Amino acid sequence: MANPTPSVQLLLTGNEIMSGDTVDSNSALIARRLGELGIPVLRKVTVGDDRALLVRELAAMAQEAELVIVNGGLGPTVDDLTAEVLAAVAGVPLAEHPGAITHLEQWCARRNLQLNAANRKQAMLPAGCQLVDNPVGSAVGFELAVGACRIICTPGVPGELKKMLDLIVADLAQRWGTGSEHSVLRLQTFGLGESSAQQIIADACPDWPADVELGFRAGAPQMEIKLSVTSRAALPARERCRAQLEALFGDHIIGEGDIQLAEAVLDLLRAQGRTLTTAESCTGGLIASMLTRIAGSSDAFHAGFVTYDNAIKAAVLGVSEDTLREHGAVSEAVVRQMAAGALARADADYAIAVSGIAGPGGGSPDKPVGTVWLAWGDADNIEALQLCWPVERTLFQTMLAAAGLDMIRRRLLGLNSQPRYFAQRRVG
Amino acid sequence: MANPTPSVQLLLTGNEIMSGDTVDSNSALIARRLGELGIPVLRKVTVGDDRALLVRELAAMAQEAELVIVNGGLGPTVDDLTAEVLAAVAGVPLAEHPGAITHLEQWCARRNLQLNAANRKQAMLPAGCQLVDNPVGSAVGFELAVGACRIICTPGVPGELKKMLDLIVADLAQRWGTGSEHSVLRLQTFGLGESSAQQIIADACPDWPADVELGFRAGAPQMEIKLSVTSRAALPARERCRAQLEALFGDHIIGEGDIQLAEAVLDLLRAQGRTLTTAESCTGGLIASMLTRIAGSSDAFHAGFVTYDNAIKAAVLGVSEDTLREHGAVSEAVVRQMAAGALARADADYAIAVSGIAGPGGGSPDKPVGTVWLAWGDADNIEALQLCWPVERTLFQTMLAAAGLDMIRRRLLGLNSQPRYFAQRRVG
């Protein structure tokens, strides 16, 4: 049986967070990782690197919460105050921790550095604390109980926090969690809005089980659907919910976990031994960039063309100058020729081509900003589609790049459908 | 004379922020905008959409702070609690606000919608409050004094908050600010590390004036240097500091405000009536994407080539197959031919070419992950440079794309220097 979940608060420190120079993503990461264990965060407080403020907040939290995670302030400089603040709240002295010294010595040795006084400060920890290993950085984490509250201090560097959270979460899972890493199932989707997904599910599943929490995390371009359960007993119900979601909009589901559209497309291409090329006008290289961000993309993506200008569409991709004159660059005929030209020049199996008006300038009454033609397919069958998606320029580029990738994903899966997103944006 | 700055706290609400599903960037925006007025935020607290928790936090803040900004919870649904929480803390009833009804009616009319009960809830505000206009959304902001504390409630939708902050900041500037929008000067740089910049300034400017605060905001790829003053009297000192920074590393300064490297390059190209093309291997279209994200980029950027594969480097850019065989794709000879080929194919004035090993795979003892050749220039003079920048794949792509843009920026400015970043990363 799982224990009742503890009351958790977060204390975040750092002048750069307080001033807004840095957007704090660490607290969201901590909350998500704890959330996967079914442990909610009740409250979080952020203050700058100010000893009196930090002591006040931490002392108040220690009275109220069963678990406090402190983030930031573990570094070697004078404005890194976390260790001395925790010592003050716990009423213990600071002392050089032998395990921390060993960690620092090893860290320095791997870098051919001498352990200096600034580094040594990072080993001055509240007496009686336990270390939490930092597999990547010099600052160890540490924890100490203050009354009935367990306080864990973690580094502010996101990469270091992430690694340390793996250790902390594993430990919490044993003490408090459901004991199952699978308590949250995350499905990545493209082409569904949050409110319409919610409505569809509400209409189709009036008997949605109470022990499977449904959540959404809308992003651009993807939306995540979360199914959370807080006990193992609810896992079968969660699987039934997943099956219902797949029946409702399985073609919109890219995959599980953190998978990105470009990754799913590359996986399908690799599995089928095929290659993809791109001919981009208004997305300006973004599709190529989304693909090549993924390690190993060179297996299936060899070439991309950014043909921003009409003369280049003709010279590089062989789009006919007559067609350009007659139909304009944002037209079905041109985008089809772009796709065909890219297939030929790159000797690729599949192509995506996009030509549109990203704005803010360049629109006309006939073809307003947001007008775009998309073509995709192979040498035997190129399909094309016109949309109107009048949003801010970079969002337009992001959504259209994803739309192109999604049409190839559907093609590779043999699906004959289009994202629901398109319904209100299709022209003609 | 400016008044002493008020003590400010932020209260943020929303289950999606608490769970970490959404990273809160609103509080950073508020802090930055207030910071530009010289008004620091002392403390921020985040809780979920929980009436009792919100009342407790807001009541405590009202006792301590002179200004509290509440963000979130203004929407039409039952979990939007901000109005009733403020009413409870102020000890006043909720009442339908005629001005808010008018705002909602106009908002609905522009969208051909009927005002419904859910919308009407957004007009139920604490009695006696003043409205803060929302130029873009249905939820009005509102403010009310509780004792000596002024409480302003703002919407959680970032675009709505941003517009409303313009109004709030203008009002605060009159009441409390330095009265000068120019109290913070932000300089964008590329190629300088935070700690080395700090050291160079400390060494060269031992007499740095106390009333000009120096700040850094390290990002990838750019770093911002901030010069903040809290009174008009310090403006001449700030200008002297700026001149000192320009003397120390003026070639690293891209421009003021939020300017991005790609924007600076496009501005220079446009001013000189020149065009740029790109031949990208390991950056995979990112340089093209950075350029085309900028509105109006089509003036100076007509074509880009993503030549991820050797056969494509030969077929599309005319890189010699002998050269590829002899030197490998990551070599000076190849990257120079890529630049020359792109110039010819795109009929452009300048080119950037990049070929390297982004990793995590593909490295060898001879050419480890992070090895990269960069070429840039015009038909008369192509320069090339080898670097080794062994960082995580997407960071590698980001930094190398920026490095290429920066070398063209320097070339267009007639500078003969390289970013300091390169010093430890140059090979050969």
Side-chain angles (χ1 to χ4, degrees), chain A residues 211-362:
Chain A
D211 52 356
V212 181
E213 195 196 332
L214 177 68
F216 300 93
R217 186 186 176 209
Q222 300 184 191
M223 179 181 72
E224 182 179 294
I225 303 182
K226 282 201 319 189
L227 297 179
S228 313
V229 293
T230 53
S231 76
R232 281 181 186 281
L235 286 176
R238 197 191 63 189
E239 284 311 299
R240 286 192 297 277
C241 290
R242 178 222 286 258
Q244 285 182 297
L245 295 184
E246 279 171 356
L248 288 173
F249 27 65
D251 59 334
H252 290 73
I253 298 174
I254 301 161
E256 284 186 29
D258 287 318
I259 193 166
Q260 296 168 41
L261 206 36
E263 210 173 337
V265 168
L266 289 166
D267 287 346
L268 288 166
L269 288 165
R270 206 178 283 116
Q272 299 180 20
R274 300 303 171 96
T275 62
L276 173 67
T277 185
T278 51
E280 304 183 64
S281 186
C282 60
T283 51
L286 183 57
I287 303 179
S289 181
M290 287 167 81
L291 288 162
T292 56
R293 225 174 278 166
I294 311 293
S297 46
S298 55
D299 293 348
F301 181 75
H302 298 169
F305 304 90
V306 184
T307 55
Y308 220 51
D309 189 79
N310 281 357
I312 300 293
K313 290 183 180 72
V316 174
L317 298 177
V319 175
S320 136
E321 289 182 10
D322 288 346
T323 310
L324 281 162
R325 235 187 334 267
E326 200 176 326
H327 299 275
V330 181
S331 64
E332 177 168 6
V334 165
V335 81
R336 283 181 177 277
Q337 290 184 26
M338 284 170 66
L343 283 173
R345 285 216 65 81
D347 193 18
D349 299 310
Y350 289 96
I352 303 171
V354 196
S355 182
I357 300 152

Side-chain angles (χ1 to χ4, degrees), chain A residues 76 104 108 113-122:
Chain A
L104 283 162
C108 286
L113 296 172
Q114 283 294 7
L115 189 63
N116 63 23
N119 290 131
R120 248 175 204 282
K121 171 178 173 293
Q122 293 182 293

Side-chain angles (χ1 to χ4, degrees), chain A residues 87-257:
Chain A
V89 169
V92 299
L94 286 172
E96 192 169 275
H97 193 295
I101 287 287
T102 306
H103 174 85
L104 283 162
E105 282 170 349
Q106 290 170 347
W107 187 86
C108 286
R110 281 197 302 274
R111 284 160 187 77
N112 281 322
L113 296 172
Q114 283 294 7
L115 189 63
N116 63 23
N119 290 131
R120 248 175 204 282
K121 171 178 173 293
Q122 293 182 293
M124 291 297 290
L125 302 179
C129 73
Q130 291 204 317
L131 297 191
V132 185
D133 188 31
N134 183 336
V136 282
S138 62
V140 290
F142 46 92
E143 65 165 284
L144 189 65
V146 174
C149 180
R150 191 173 162 213
I151 300 175
I152 307 178
C153 300
T154 60
V157 179
E160 298 183 18
L161 172 65
K162 206 171 166 192
K163 295 278 185 195
M164 199 177 285
L165 273 177
D166 291 340
L167 306 174
I168 294 170
V169 164
D171 176 64
L172 289 175
Q174 286 197 323
R175 298 186 191 219
W176 277 309
T178 57
S180 162
E181 285 181 34
H182 306 293
S183 61
V184 176
L185 173 70
R186 296 187 291 126
L187 300 173
Q188 297 296 331
T189 70
F190 173 75
L192 270 176
E194 183 177 335
S195 57
S196 71
Q198 214 157 4
Q199 194 60 54
I200 292 164
I201 295 168
D203 292 346
C205 315
D207 55 344
W208 188 271
D211 52 356
V212 181
E213 195 196 332
L214 177 68
F216 300 93
R217 186 186 176 209
Q222 300 184 191
M223 179 181 72
E224 182 179 294
I225 303 182
K226 282 201 319 189
L227 297 179
S228 313
V229 293
T230 53
S231 76
R232 281 181 186 281
L235 286 176
R238 197 191 63 189
E239 284 311 299
R240 286 192 297 277
C241 290
R242 178 222 286 258
Q244 285 182 297
L245 295 184
E246 279 171 356
L248 288 173
F249 27 65
D251 59 334
H252 290 73
I253 298 174
I254 301 161
E256 284 186 29

